Amino acid sequence: QVQLVESGGGLVQAGGSLRLSCAASGSIRSINVMGWYCQAPGKQRELVAATTSAGSTDYGDSVKGRFAISRDNAKNTMYLQMNSLKPEDTAVYYCKMGMYVSGSDAFYEFWGRGTQVTVSS
């Protein structure tokens, strides 16, 4: 069983910064893809940022130049540095990881439960 736990959300004023973390635990063999998604009330969940084990990254258009995704492979943890936050960034932020687990050749995707980010104007 694999679990993903997010942390670092909270309330911040516009222009401020937050750093989210997502730590994976369990019978992990290798993590190929890590990503952050957000879902605002009444909207669909959308990609914020993603990174692969090869080092490539991808960002949603609305966060380019403001957010940065990074990973610590030794700790099975990824981070999202969020700068210059705007009220429209307010959402629940979820982490997702695609990985291979011990005892299986199948590729699995796991989601965290989410952490609330609220940006006040």
Side-chain angles (χ1 to χ4, degrees):
Q1 186 72 14
V2 173
Q3 288 189 327
L4 274 58
V5 179
E6 301 103 334
S7 61
L11 174 64
V12 64
Q13 287 189 332
S17 298
L18 283 174
R19 189 189 193 213
L20 305 183
S21 300
C22 175
S25 62
S27 301
I28 299 168
R29 185 150 54 95
S30 65
I31 301 174
N32 293 50
V33 182
M34 294 181 170
W36 289 98
Y37 294 75
C38 70
Q39 187 166 19
K43 295 187 177 181
Q44 289 187 332
R45 192 172 298 187
E46 61 182 21
L47 174 71
V48 176
T51 181
T52 70
S53 56
S56 64
T57 58
D58 189 24
Y59 292 93
D61 288 341
S62 64
V63 306
K64 287 179 181 176
R66 299 188 298 123
F67 292 9
I69 189 171
S70 60
R71 59 192 288 170
D72 184 333
N73 293 324
K75 296 181 179 179
N76 291 331
T77 299
M78 70 169 168
Y79 307 95
L80 184 68
Q81 180 65 44
M82 310 165 69
N83 298 325
S84 302
L85 282 160
K86 305 175 181 179
E88 50 263 43
D89 294 320
T90 296
V92 178
Y93 284 73
Y94 299 89
C95 65
K96 185 175 83 167
M97 295 188 185
M99 66 181 71
Y100 293 96
V101 301
S102 301
S104 174
D105 290 330
F107 185 76
Y108 293 92
E109 292 185 331
F110 297 95
W111 287 89
R113 292 188 174 185
T115 184
Q116 177 70 45
V117 171
T118 302
V119 185
S120 63
S121 57

